[in-house]
Amino acid sequence: MSELQDLVDEAQRQFTICNACRYCEDYCAVFPAMEERRLFTEGDLGYLATVCHDCRACYQACMYAEPHEFAINIPQLMSEGRVLTYERYAEPRWLARLFERARGTLVAAVVGAALAVALVFLLATSADSLLMGNEGPGSFYTVFPQAAMLAFGLLLAGWAILVCVVGALRFWRDIGGPTGGIRGPRLWRRAIGEAATLRWMRGGGGECHFPDAEEPSPLRRYTHAAVAAGFLLTFGATVAAAIEENIFGILPPYPLLSVPVILGTVGGVMVVLGCIGFLRMRREAPAGLAAPQTASLGLAFTWSLLVVAATGLALLALRETDLMGPLLLVHLAAVFAFFLTAPYGHLVHAVYRSVAIARNVQERASSEPGPEPRSEVQERDTALV
Amino acid sequence: MKASGPLDVLVVGAGNAALSAAIAARRRGAAVLLIERASRDWRGGNSKYTRNLRCAHDPDGVMPGAYGEEEFFDDLMQVTGPETDRDLARLCIAGSREAPAWMEENGIRWQPAMRGTLHLGRTNRFFLGGGKALVNTLSATAERIGVEILYETGLVDLAIAGDRCEAVTLASGDREWAVEPRAVVLACGGFEANIGWLEEHWGAAARNYAIRGSRENDGLPLRRMLEHGAMARGNPKGFHAIAVDARGPKFEGGIVTRVDSVPFSVMVNEEAERFYDEGEDLWPKRYATWGRLIAEQPSQRAWSIFDRQVVDRFMSTVFEPFEAASIEELAVRCSLDPAQLGATVAAYNASLDGGTYDPSRLDGVATAGIAPPKSNWALPIEQPPFYAYPLCPGITFTYLGLGVDADARVRLAGEGTFQNVFAAGEIMAGNILRRGYLAGFGMTIGTVFGRIAGERSADV
């Protein structure tokens, strides 16, 4: 808890300076929201930190960044605020803490364990089917029984969704969201639009200073769009496959020119390229502008997503060979690991950011027409010279 | 240094005026070297603490309403008085019309039309992210088009023969070397960070001033040029100062240490006595007088004393005010004499004769029978907790500069000008701004005369 308190104290110090300056108020929604507050709680920090999309424009523009004695570093502070937020709202706590300590190792361990369990299970039941190049409808299920796959999938997805929903609701309450949620289609559209287009990663139009601090570019936004859209396409492929199988009774594998395969292939390629892009950006980005834990969070997430997508594509390419069985096993283990770790990993940023953006949209709407207009006596010319 | 062929233009400084000059000269084909005394981290002089520039304009997407050149000129005359160089002032104002487009061409972005706390939307254009973002953008543009920039490199002296600069001695660390540019642009600010120079005029009191901008502005190139026979312009003692929190940094405090509580408070000095009318006029018209008023007090210190009923009425600052349950306790926090502060506040409270308080106008809610009076917004200080900001003068810039002509050429103290020495920005602002200040006008002078100096120096 003291780590959190230290962070809240540091946020109070830095935000007080920001509120006395306000030069950054048109970079994103963070600074106008900050200006509405004078004393900052944990909830405020979590809220502002998750509205922050880490474009780093404010850091580049800050005359109070180090070596100035005020040592303002909003990207770093917000990054730490996000890490602590993600940890705070993940349940159960003991599992979350386990992941905090050794994220990368744990993801790998889960993959390994899943593989081992599946192998033992398969070898004990039907060793033949694993290495026999099965073809035709239902061949996947000769490797792994359909019911087991389905049960596993539903259980995992249900778990991930439950943890995220519980966390999201608690977060909404803690950041001052009204019990009724946000009201009206206009606000919903605005919130979804701002979240989906990464509006606050644009640096007020000047674009994102990541990975290159001095050459802002939309690269990160585009890369993110590729991964997010690819992820949704592969999800769409799963849904399409479920429809084909359960409504039309067509068993996988599906032909190359079928909806699940096309969606899955396009999505998978986008995810692979996007993840590789993120791994490269991460290597180029300057140090000192993010919480140390961010690297392990991001790396574990990117790698596990990359493995899922890459093994999925490999499975598609090699599904008519002897490698189908082992590949399917590896792919399923990777998917298993991805979803099991999802509520404790970087994926939750999508959840908390969306919640924070919704709160922000709602807050902006409710502050129109705004507090009492400032009088001329209070007018402040912030031009120094 | 890099031996990259003959040097056409040497630009001294790295703020808005210097970068504008370097870009303008380079775009005219000159080989340009820009030297900055500060390290790369601290580059940009006082420009990095600015936020907007004032410009004449017709209504557009960024700025609502029109701001004509005549109105601009009248605003300037109101603050600076008739002895300004009117031709240069008009030249500057006319140039301000084209400045935004030129800045945009060089990468500057603007804030959308103003909202909230700022009311300068009609006259001033705000650059997105403020001055440091502007300095970053202009520096990147300058480097991209081929301006060479050397950091931690200062001017030692100029070799002047008659009305020509033959060479310039530069220094970086222990190294000294000479360059022979065809022209020199001095755009390196005033001397406000040179405490010794300030002491020549203000004595030991100068040690108690805070310098709001760059610690590098020691005015050495200005002094050298004056020694070489350049014309001085502007009051040699003059500086622009405001009230800042005395707990702030000695240098580079920028905007955030500024305290706007004065009209809502009573101001007392080290003797816990009031010394000037806190409600004399609307704050935007008076904020710049308080730096000088505090500078005249013992130890150059003052305290702004107020209570709970006004604590939320002005923008928060970087430091929390001192807080106490009684005036006497507050005095102890401020190291003031509790009995005297109690007596001063009591006398003030007893002098109030009521009226309808209205912070948006001169409300005439005043004291009666005490000296000095408080002519407006005189609310009793009676609701605990009580608060105090410790204040000292924060110097923004000095007025003394080099006389220039319409080509930004530095004038000789006698007749004529230097052939190849130009000046832009604060170092020549004294031609136009003899006293007072118009928000954003320093950046206007820097951009307009930076461009002129850059273009003319490239033609030398």
Side-chain angles (χ1 to χ4, degrees):
Chain A
M1 274 304 99
S2 90
E3 190 191 352
L4 179 63
Q5 194 49 52
D6 288 350
L7 194 65
V8 173
D9 291 347
E10 175 62 7
Q12 180 72 46
R13 183 189 79 80
Q14 293 199 28
F15 294 168
T16 301
I17 295 172
C18 289
N19 271 349
C21 171
R22 307 192 175 188
Y23 283 18
C24 290
E25 63 190 355
D26 275 298
Y27 277 134
C28 64
V30 170
F31 296 95
M34 200 186 281
E35 287 169 18
E36 298 291 316
R37 295 158 170 80
R38 213 162 159 153
L39 294 172
F40 296 89
T41 62
E42 295 163 27
D44 293 327
L45 173 59
Y47 167 49
L48 297 175
T50 40
V51 173
C52 167
H53 282 49
D54 193 37
C55 80
R56 305 180 177 192
C58 65
Y59 181 78
Q60 291 302 316
C62 186
M63 60 280 204
Y64 300 120
E66 281 187 318
H68 197 284
E69 63 193 83
F70 288 160
I72 298 293
N73 188 340
I74 295 297
Q76 158 105 34
L77 179 66
M78 295 305 200
S79 169
E80 291 184 356
R82 284 191 295 273
V83 169
L84 276 186
T85 300
Y86 301 161
E87 287 171 5
R88 256 170 88 67
Y89 293 95
E91 298 280 1
R93 294 295 305 140
W94 64 268
L95 198 54
R97 257 182 238 117
L98 209 63
F99 276 99
E100 278 158 38
R101 269 182 225 130
R103 204 169 300 276
T105 327
L106 251 148
V107 175
V110 170
V111 180
L115 268 178
V117 170
L119 258 179
V120 169
F121 173 74
L122 286 174
L123 292 175
T125 51
S126 54
D128 291 350
S129 61
L130 181 59
L131 292 172
M132 272 166 41
N134 288 299
E135 285 173 32
S139 64
F140 289 161
Y141 300 133
T142 60
V143 176
F144 214 78
Q146 182 178 13
M149 220 190 271
L150 193 68
F152 237 54
L154 286 179
L155 207 68
L156 267 177
W159 173 249
I161 290 169
L162 180 73
V163 173
C164 287
V165 166
V166 169
L169 289 176
R170 281 178 52 218
F171 185 58
W172 174 258
R173 192 195 58 211
D174 287 359
I175 64 176
T179 9
I182 62 171
R183 298 252 166 84
R186 195 173 56 93
L187 294 190
W188 274 99
R189 264 204 309 277
R190 208 186 279 179
I192 291 168
E194 287 179 10
T197 60
L198 302 182
R199 178 162 176 206
W200 307 125
M201 202 189 270
R202 294 178 190 201
E207 286 303 345
C208 175
H209 292 256
F210 179 98
D212 192 322
E214 310 218 339
E215 284 285 328
S217 79
L219 183 64
R220 187 193 210 175
R221 211 150 45 78
Y222 293 165
T223 309
H224 187 284
V227 174
F231 183 76
L232 289 178
L233 284 177
T234 56
F235 183 74
T238 311
V239 173
I243 291 171
E244 294 226 7
E245 181 170 339
N246 296 314
I247 295 181
F248 299 108
I250 311 166
L251 290 180
Y254 297 107
L256 289 178
L257 285 179
S258 64
V259 177
V261 172
I262 292 174
L263 289 182
T265 311
V266 173
V269 168
M270 284 166 78
V271 168
V272 167
L273 292 178
C275 285
I276 292 171
F278 270 123
L279 292 171
R280 286 185 52 172
M281 271 190 255
R282 191 171 290 284
R283 262 207 326 240
E284 291 165 25
L289 293 180
Q293 303 96 309
T294 310
S296 67
L297 256 177
L299 277 178
F301 176 69
T302 312
W303 273 111
S304 76
L305 193 56
L306 182 57
V307 170
V308 169
T311 53
L313 289 175
L315 184 60
L316 177 70
L318 303 173
R319 65 185 181 175
E320 284 168 13
T321 71
D322 288 351
L323 285 173
M324 187 276 275
L327 265 176
L328 179 62
L329 207 60
V330 173
H331 181 61
L332 288 178
V335 171
F336 172 75
F338 181 81
F339 279 103
L340 183 67
T341 59
Y344 311 100
H346 187 62
L347 186 67
V348 297
H349 78 281
V351 175
Y352 295 111
R353 271 203 202 296
S354 302
V355 171
I357 288 170
R359 168 78 180 116
N360 181 247
V361 162
Q362 183 263 340
E363 184 175 76
R364 271 156 39 209
S366 67
S367 75
E368 296 161 0
E372 76 179 82
R374 294 199 173 230
S375 67
E376 200 186 340
V377 179
Q378 291 165 290
E379 171 183 308
R380 170 165 167 153
D381 147 32
T382 51
L384 173 64
V385 290
Chain B
M1 73 161 284
K2 253 162 69 179
S4 48
L7 176 62
D8 295 323
V9 177
L10 173 72
V11 177
V12 183
N16 176 51
L19 290 164
S20 298
I23 290 169
R26 178 69 196 134
R27 289 211 192 276
R28 226 167 165 91
V32 181
L33 171 66
L34 180 145
I35 58 166
E36 161 67 312
R37 277 187 41 171
S39 64
R40 197 175 189 285
D41 283 336
W42 287 104
R43 70 181 175 183
N46 283 0
S47 293
K48 65 178 170 292
Y49 297 105
T50 67
R51 187 174 188 183
N52 57 58
L53 89 166
R54 183 171 291 247
C55 47
H57 67 96
D58 300 322
D60 64 22
V62 177
M63 300 169 76
Y67 188 49
E69 291 180 33
E70 280 311 309
E71 187 186 356
F72 193 157
F73 188 77
D74 291 344
D75 286 347
L76 177 63
M77 286 307 128
Q78 264 192 23
V79 298
T80 200
E83 64 269 37
T84 184
D85 185 327
R86 286 164 172 261
D87 293 338
L88 287 185
R90 290 204 178 274
L91 179 68
C92 184
I93 289 169
S96 77
R97 218 175 241 292
E98 296 145 33
W102 187 82
M103 293 166 84
E104 272 173 43
E105 282 163 28
N106 291 302
I108 300 303
R109 289 173 172 275
W110 308 105
Q111 281 193 2
M114 295 310 296
R115 53 146 193 271
T117 54
L118 295 157
H119 292 241
L120 291 163
R122 191 174 68 84
T123 55
N124 289 41
R125 219 173 242 262
F126 288 68
F127 12 99
L128 181 66
K132 189 172 174 186
L134 173 132
V135 166
N136 290 343
T137 303
L138 293 184
S139 300
T141 299
E143 287 193 302
R144 195 180 61 245
I145 63 175
V147 171
E148 187 185 354
I149 299 180
L150 291 178
Y151 294 102
E152 296 174 61
T153 302
L155 175 149
V156 179
D157 203 354
L158 305 93
I160 302 284
D163 61 359
R164 268 191 65 81
C165 172
E166 305 282 350
V168 181
T169 308
L170 309 181
S172 179
D174 299 334
R175 270 178 331 123
E176 265 195 20
W177 71 99
V179 291
E180 296 178 0
R182 296 200 356 250
V184 182
V185 178
L186 300 173
C188 43
F191 67 90
E192 62 276 357
N194 188 332
I195 307 299
W197 192 338
L198 290 170
E199 277 188 54
E200 289 173 23
H201 299 297
W202 303 100
R207 289 175 214 162
N208 295 328
Y209 304 157
I211 313 304
R212 303 176 65 208
S214 170
R215 57 165 60 78
E216 305 287 349
N217 283 6
D218 67 0
L220 188 119
L222 168 64
R223 177 155 274 190
R224 293 284 171 264
M225 283 305 293
L226 293 175
E227 289 164 1
H228 289 308
M231 171 191 282
R233 269 297 169 93
N235 177 359
K237 299 172 64 167
F239 57 75
H240 177 276
I242 64 162
V244 299
D245 198 306
R247 296 166 293 180
K250 174 74 179 169
F251 294 99
E252 319 251 8
I255 192 68
V256 297
T257 61
R258 176 172 160 176
V259 174
D260 290 330
S261 62
V262 173
F264 303 97
S265 70
V266 296
M267 293 286 288
V268 301
N269 60 18
E270 205 174 48
E271 268 99 47
E273 285 173 348
R274 291 179 60 246
F275 55 90
Y276 198 83
D277 184 350
E278 301 90 345
E280 188 181 38
D281 204 342
L282 294 169
W283 184 235
K285 296 184 183 168
R286 281 295 167 267
Y287 77 89
T289 59
W290 280 89
R292 177 59 58 81
L293 289 168
I294 296 170
E296 289 163 0
Q297 298 307 308
S299 304
Q300 293 68 52
R301 282 287 182 281
W303 286 260
S304 173
I305 312 284
F306 53 97
D307 69 2
R308 193 189 51 173
Q309 56 186 331
V310 296
V311 69
D312 290 325
R313 298 227 60 117
F314 40 85
M315 253 179 78
S316 59
T317 61
V318 61
F319 303 106
E320 290 299 316
F322 296 133
E323 184 182 327
S326 70
I327 290 292
E328 286 69 22
E329 196 188 316
L330 188 67
V332 174
R333 291 276 165 81
C334 301
S335 312
L336 295 170
D337 176 9
Q340 182 56 51
L341 186 63
T344 299
V345 171
Y348 164 81
N349 284 341
S351 75
L352 303 176
D353 56 5
T356 309
Y357 170 78
D358 180 357
S360 66
R361 60 184 184 87
L362 299 173
D363 64 2
V365 177
T367 58
I370 56 167
K374 181 172 178 181
S375 308
N376 290 287
W377 316 297
L379 288 177
I381 298 178
E382 57 186 6
Q383 295 185 21
F386 301 98
Y387 300 94
Y389 283 113
L391 303 176
C392 74
I395 300 195
T396 318
F397 61 88
T398 45
Y399 288 97
L400 176 68
L402 301 172
V404 297
D405 68 6
D407 288 336
R409 271 193 176 81
V410 175
R411 293 166 70 173
L412 291 154
E415 286 292 301
T417 62
F418 287 92
Q419 284 180 37
N420 61 347
V421 184
F422 299 80
E426 243 169 47
I427 195 172
M428 48 65 69
N431 289 273
I432 302 173
L433 207 57
R434 295 301 170 87
R435 62 164 177 268
Y437 188 64
L438 267 187
F441 196 47
M443 293 299 275
T444 310
I445 295 174
T447 306
V448 172
F449 283 93
R451 277 183 74 186
I452 294 174
E455 286 167 7
R456 298 296 176 275
S457 65
D459 294 342
V460 165

